[in-house]
Every structure is written in C-alpha cells, then in structure tokens.
Amino acid sequence: MTPLNRRGFVAAAAGAAAAAVAMNPQTASATDREGTTWGGDDFADADRGFIAALTPGVVKNAEGRVVWDNDAYDFLKGDAPKTAHKSLWRQSRLVSKQGLYKVTERVYQVRGLDLSNMTLVEGGTGVVVIDPLISAETAAAALKLYRAHRGDRKVTGLIYTHPHVDHFGGCRGVLPDGAEDGVPILAPEGFMEHAVSENVYAGTAMQRRSGYMYGAQLPKSAAGQIGCGLGQTISVGSIGLIPPTKDVTETGQVETVDGVRFEFQMTPGTEAAAEMNFLLPGLRALCMAENATHTMHNIITLRGAQVRDARQWARYLGESVVLFEGRADVAFASHHWPTWGGDTIVELLEQQRDLYAYMHDQTLRMINAGMTGREIAEEIELPPALAGVWANRGYYGSLSHNVKGIYQRYMGWFDGNPAHLWEHPPVEEAKRYVKAMGGRTATVAKARAFARGGDLRFAVTLLNHVVFADPGHRAAKSELASLYTKLGQASENAVWRNFYLTGARELREGVPGSPASVASADMLSALSVDQLVDSVAIRVNGPKAWDLKLRMDWSLPALGKVWHLTLRHGVLTYRSDTEKDPDAGVTLTMTKAQLLAMLGGKGLGDIEVEGDASLLAKLLGVVEKPDPGFAIVTP
C-alpha cells in the first residue's frame, strides 16, 4: 500500500474508465480485506423481524407530489458497479431496506420511509412514537403501515430524542392539529432552543449546503445518488414542530408513558447539543438515539453546524456501557438496523466509544506537536482493530473532515502561519494564481497533466482556480465536472460522493431552483421573541444602516413583557422588561401571531401603533432576504 493509498486519493492508470480510486483515510486497509467479510451479520440483522413493506414505496402529499420514493433505489439490488465504491454500495443496500420491522416484543420500527427511523412502542392503551421522521406525509405513511399490521392504536405519547429535523419534523403526521391535546411529549432539556435556532440563524446557508450533502438534486442511479450513509436521502414534505410538554433533565430520570417505563441518559454535546438515550427496562430494549449507529458519524457536518464534542461523545458512550450492560437484549437507534445480544451491544458501544476517543486524542496529540488540521487529516490513521469494523467506516462522517472539525473546536480557523492570515478571497486569489501559471489555457493544460499522472486532487485545485478566475471558461468547467464525477463515484463516504457529484452537476447545469424553507409555521411559532429579534438582527445590512438611528418598542401583553429595540451603528440590539420606553419612537402592541405576520411581510394589520409607524418601514428597509440559491462551485 502506498502512502497516498492510505491517506488520500489514488488514481488508476491513465485512460482507465474509472480513473480515480478514492477512499477515506481511515478505511483503506479495511477496504483491502472487504471481500472476506462481505455480507456478514448486518444483512441478517437488517432483515430480522421484517413484517411488511409499503408497496409501492412511494409517499405523496395531498397535491399528489412525490415527497419520498424508496423504490427509486431498486437498482441497488445488483452488484456494485464501477461507478460506486464497493463498501458504500454495501451500506446503501442495507440502508435502503424498507418496511415495518419487529425489534422485540411491543417494539417496532418503520425503516426506509425517510432519512431516519420511526420507532413505535406499544403501551397500555395505544402506541408511543419515537422520532417521527422529517415530513408529516412520511410519518403518516409509516404510522398507517404499522396500524395495518398491529391494529388501529392511537398515539398516546411522543418522544423526540434530539432537535434535528429528521427526528421531529413529521410530528403532524402522527399527531395532526388538535390531536396532541393531552398527549405527553418528551424531549431533552434545551430541545426547543436548539430545534429552532439551527434552522433560523444560519438556516439558509445550511439548507443550501444540505442539497450537496444529501445529493437532493442528483438522479438516483448507480452513477448518481446512491444514499448518504446514514439513510438514503431526505423527504421533501411538510415539516412541523409540536413543543414538548415534559423536559428530561438528568441521567437516571424515569418517566412512564402509557404504562411504558423509560429510563433516560442525558448526552448533551454529542451528536446534538441536546440529546438523550433511554432504556425500556421492562422490555430489555435500549435506544441509543443517534449516538451509536452503523457508521462513523459527523463531528462536524459538511452542511455546516457547530462542532460537536468528540471527547464528551466518547465519554457518554462509556457511561452507556456502565449504565446499561446486562440490562438490554437489543439496541436500536434513530437510523440503521438494531443490534441484538448483550455482548454484541457492548462491543458496538465500546468500538464507537474508542473511535471518537481515538479521533479526539490523536488530533490533540498532533496539534501539540505543531501540526495543522490539514496535516493531521492527511497523516492520521485508525488502528486496524477500529478501521476494520463496518460500523466505524466513514460512510457519513469521515476521519478526514472530522479531525479538521476537532482542530477547529480547539484552534479555530487559523493555523498559525502568517501566510494564511490575510489571504485574498477566492476570486482574487484565483486570478493571481492563474496569471502566475501562465494564463487560463496553460493552467487547464497543467491540470490535465496532473490528472493523467494520477493526482486528481491537485488537478481539481488548479481547475477550480480557473473557474473562479473566469466562470465562463467552458473547458475548465467541463474538465472540473469530469474530475469531480470520478472522485465522487470512487468515494466510500456518501456525503463526499454527493458533494462531488452535485458540484459536477451544477458546473454543467447551473444552480437549481431554490428549495422550500424548513422554517414552517410550526417552526416559526416555536421561536421565542428573543429569537425572532435575533432573526431580524442577523439580516440587517450593516453598511446600509450605518447612518440610521431609531428606537422602538414591541409590547406583547400576553407575555407580560416589552422588547426595546435600538438600531444604531448598523447593529440591532434589544433588551426586555415590563415597562414601555418613553423615548421610543414607536410602540407596537401586538400578539405573537401578529408579530409573526408583520415579520412575514403582511404589514401592521390590527397591531396597535403609538408614535411614528414609518420607523418600522425604515427598519425593515435595511433587512435583507437570504438567498437560498447562492453559488458554491462558481463565484
């Protein structure tokens, strides 16, 4: 094995049909051995307990638009083609399995009807739903499939394991408007704050990059999108959010829902800022939420998010072993298939514990030896005992981008080299780079030479500079798209594959239409007034507002508070108390629903106005609307 083979990308002989063999640094040695372990117990476990599939595996909304199509992945039933990494193909075959499954007595899962799983636990009078998918339509279809085989049981409880949209967005599919009355809804402490803030503050940019991460616009085919490692893709239906009625605040907390006893473990700062595992002691079943799945997970997601704490993640998995060893016969999660057998459960938890601990500790060791994030990502390699475990493979997260995330958490963006302190922005750097290389044509020629020599990584670097220096250069865009396709189709990591292939598609076809916003009515209504003001403040065009000074009050009597807003120096700041500001230029007295309508562009309506109403127009006049279709692979 060459050094490049274990640390990066290796190209096959020039002119070969699949010129690139891309693999994540941590999995090269395991990939060399995969022929001897193909299949394994995972396929048996993924099929275990199968009851029935949704036929056809397609979900549509009320208007007849397809929001989920699992049948589009039928091509995965064949052998791995040259256009896909063999190991990723295996993972996608496993994850694409769809239907209702029995996990253990009274515990069922619907898998393959969204990115995530929906788990159903039968109680005394109905069924408790855990993590109701992304969309109301897919969640409703999953519940209907369950009821068709287990009876028309009412939903008597709802549990969100953490505040990512694929674990709460489909809540209205299992509890339609009004049906939630009297139904206990449990979530970890801090759930609402994190559920809404992630989708508001940087939500537009995250959503745009999610299109790359999940390959949403790619064709489902052996040459295109074959999954994302964690699931197949994301559904595109209606997103809701029903607030929890009960917070889980501490490890060891016990709650009984419809006669079912839940024993919780709090795991904040792991896969989500607020997350929890739980044991069903009466059923000897353990839910690991998204903390232990059948893939290496993300310490930092490529769609964008705050860096997760690999150290704490490992420690909580160790705590899970201590808390639950010998008390569970099956472990299930919010993605993938369950793990049966007490010893096998402990083995999975310990292997994943050691995976995140090794990434964290070795990254810190190498930081303290003076290495940068990019250098660490190129050098680090997992021990064979961890790299050879299917559940540790980098299908969703990757060792390369995870260690860069750990570096970022401790050291930030700057690597200490003054040459990187004040670099030109991409377009200006690209123009100078191309000029130094002898012009666009010469740079493209040099890139082709590097590609022929097997160095696709530097070839795309050169071509990317040409595209940013001259986005109209057709040869550079075409060549770059071709190399992105080769790198993507050879990657074991599904997210890397989707990024490469989506980049290639946009170079060829341009940016597609903007996706629908995840900020649904439920999501917006769940925002606190503080968060609503924040959502305005982060959209103020600072330079446009430099010379604008105003003060206004937002009074919401139903909440018993007044928010005092000040726009000055291009910054919108606020504070709140119970008294009106006599120096405010205008006071708007309203309900929260009226505030939401006003911010949604519906004007003042029935809002009570005291003072100069034009100040609102001046404020909103410097508030920009985010662009959900901004360019990524072109300037």
Side-chain angles (χ1 to χ4, degrees):
M1 183 185 304
T2 66
L4 273 180
N5 198 11
R6 69 183 174 87
R7 295 177 185 167
F9 297 105
V10 177
V21 177
M23 56 182 67
N24 294 326
Q26 77 276 17
T27 59
S29 58
T31 301
D32 293 342
R33 298 192 300 272
E34 70 185 11
T36 63
T37 57
W38 189 267
D41 292 335
D42 285 340
F43 282 93
D45 285 348
D47 288 331
R48 181 170 173 173
F50 175 74
I51 296 172
L54 179 69
T55 307
V58 178
V59 179
K60 299 180 180 180
N61 66 9
E63 290 73 41
R65 181 173 62 89
V66 174
V67 301
W68 178 260
D69 184 0
N70 204 70
D71 291 349
Y73 294 99
D74 283 349
F75 64 86
L76 289 166
K77 294 175 182 176
D79 293 334
K82 292 181 179 180
T83 55
H85 194 288
K86 205 173 177 185
S87 175
L88 177 58
W89 188 266
R90 173 190 185 273
Q91 179 78 351
S92 294
R93 286 183 63 201
L94 286 161
V95 175
S96 66
K97 292 176 181 289
Q98 178 262 113
L100 174 67
Y101 296 80
K102 181 177 180 179
V103 176
T104 190
E105 197 65 32
R106 293 169 50 197
V107 181
Y108 296 81
Q109 279 191 323
V110 178
R111 304 199 286 271
L113 286 188
D114 214 320
L115 176 68
S116 49
N117 302 332
M118 187 165 88
T119 304
L120 304 105
V121 181
E122 294 175 353
T125 61
V127 63
V128 180
V129 173
I130 300 159
D131 288 355
L133 310 182
I134 294 175
S135 303
E137 294 86 351
T138 54
L143 183 60
K144 183 178 179 180
L145 178 63
Y146 164 81
R147 285 172 169 166
H149 297 276
R150 295 297 300 163
D152 191 17
R153 302 167 189 261
K154 65 180 180 179
V155 175
T156 49
L158 183 59
I159 294 178
Y160 305 133
T161 60
H162 60 290
H164 293 156
V165 71
D166 51 323
H167 304 274
F168 68 79
C171 57
R172 292 294 180 186
V174 298
L175 288 175
D177 286 339
E180 72 270 24
D181 293 346
V183 176
I185 302 172
L186 280 65
E189 184 178 29
F191 171 89
M192 285 299 288
E193 175 189 354
H194 296 293
V196 296
S197 63
E198 181 169 298
N199 293 295
V200 173
Y201 294 159
T204 300
M206 286 184 183
Q207 186 177 20
R208 173 73 173 103
R209 283 175 32 174
S210 288
Y212 272 66
M213 183 166 173
Y214 297 109
Q217 301 294 330
L218 296 173
K220 310 297 186 289
S221 70
Q225 203 266 10
I226 64 174
C228 67
L230 194 66
Q232 288 308 94
T233 187
I234 52 178
S235 64
V236 290
S238 304
I239 294 173
L241 176 57
I242 305 174
T245 61
K246 177 74 175 181
D247 285 347
V248 179
T249 61
E250 60 183 357
T251 293
Q253 183 172 335
V254 175
E255 300 290 341
T256 300
V257 182
D258 193 15
V260 180
R261 193 166 181 263
F262 292 80
E263 181 181 322
F264 294 96
Q265 177 197 12
M266 296 296 290
T267 63
T270 53
E271 191 271 338
E275 191 151 354
M276 62 188 187
N277 305 323
F278 61 80
L279 178 72
L280 302 171
L283 304 175
R284 294 186 61 81
L286 173 63
C287 175
M288 289 303 298
E290 207 164 330
N291 288 318
T293 57
H294 293 281
T295 180
M296 178 190 294
H297 215 298
N298 285 303
I299 299 303
I300 185 167
T301 70
L302 298 189
R303 66 179 170 85
Q306 294 183 0
V307 180
R308 295 156 186 174
D309 191 338
R311 173 175 166 271
Q312 285 293 83
W313 200 329
R315 289 190 173 192
Y316 280 125
L317 285 171
E319 183 181 70
S320 297
V321 174
V322 173
L323 290 173
F324 305 125
E325 184 174 10
R327 303 179 64 196
D329 298 322
V330 62
F332 61 92
S334 302
H335 296 273
H336 301 149
W337 53 97
T339 299
W340 283 272
D343 291 343
T344 307
I345 293 169
V346 170
E347 184 179 28
L348 172 67
L349 297 183
E350 290 182 339
Q351 287 169 340
Q352 295 233 309
R353 175 200 64 195
D354 295 348
L355 170 68
Y356 298 118
Y358 189 91
M359 279 193 289
H360 175 272
D361 295 350
Q362 295 307 303
T363 300
L364 265 293
R365 177 183 66 82
M366 295 162 96
I367 286 173
N368 287 319
M371 297 177 70
T372 68
R374 290 170 62 182
E375 291 169 338
I376 296 168
E378 199 75 2
E379 181 69 24
I380 194 168
E381 187 174 7
L382 288 179
L386 293 178
V389 177
W390 288 116
N392 284 353
R393 302 285 281 267
Y395 303 116
Y396 189 56
S398 78
L399 187 61
S400 177
H401 73 249
N402 276 344
V403 299
K404 291 174 184 174
I406 296 169
Y407 183 94
Q408 177 182 323
R409 182 179 182 90
Y410 286 95
M411 304 299 291
W413 65 269
F414 183 46
D415 64 5
N417 186 334
H420 303 146
L421 190 60
W422 193 29
E423 295 174 296
H424 285 290
V427 170
E428 294 305 314
E429 180 183 65
K431 290 177 180 178
R432 289 160 173 79
Y433 206 111
V434 170
K435 182 179 179 180
M437 295 291 290
R440 301 177 186 86
T441 302
T443 306
V444 172
K446 287 180 173 65
R448 287 172 174 157
F450 276 104
R452 286 193 299 270
D455 192 347
L456 273 65
R457 296 170 73 183
F458 193 62
V460 300
T461 297
L462 291 179
L463 290 168
N464 182 66
H465 279 306
V466 178
V467 170
F468 270 71
D470 180 7
H473 199 289
R474 294 183 179 180
K477 291 173 73 173
S478 176
E479 191 78 15
L480 183 56
S482 176
L483 296 187
Y484 279 165
T485 299
K486 289 177 180 178
L487 288 170
Q489 290 180 347
S491 177
E492 181 176 35
N493 184 277
V495 172
W496 285 31
R497 176 187 175 99
N498 291 338
F499 260 83
Y500 279 128
L501 296 186
T502 302
R505 181 184 184 277
E506 291 193 7
L507 283 168
R508 295 182 179 117
E509 303 176 20
V511 178
S514 300
S517 173
V518 298
S520 64
D522 273 349
M523 189 79 70
L524 291 173
S525 65
L527 290 169
S528 67
V529 176
D530 283 2
Q531 289 173 319
L532 285 170
V533 181
D534 285 340
S535 73
V536 175
I538 61 177
R539 292 188 288 130
V540 169
N541 183 319
K544 191 176 178 180
W546 280 350
D547 299 322
L548 188 59
K549 296 170 65 175
L550 61 85
R551 292 169 69 173
M552 70 170 59
D553 278 0
W554 290 357
S555 176
L556 280 78
L559 300 180
K561 292 176 70 176
V562 180
W563 279 261
H564 310 292
L565 281 65
T566 300
L567 180 64
R568 186 172 180 231
H569 301 147
V571 177
L572 181 65
T573 59
Y574 67 94
R575 59 184 177 84
S576 61
D577 55 35
T578 59
E579 302 294 330
K580 293 182 181 180
D581 178 3
D583 296 322
V586 64
T587 297
L588 306 178
T589 302
M590 53 194 158
T591 63
K592 188 177 178 185
Q594 288 173 322
L595 171 59
L596 286 167
M598 180 185 78
L599 295 179
K602 296 183 179 180
L604 290 168
D606 296 329
I607 293 174
E608 180 183 330
V609 180
E610 301 174 54
D612 185 358
S614 69
L615 294 181
L616 177 64
K618 290 179 180 179
L619 170 61
L620 297 181
V622 296
V623 174
E624 291 186 339
K625 184 177 181 180
D627 176 13
F630 56 80
I632 291 179
V633 291
T634 54

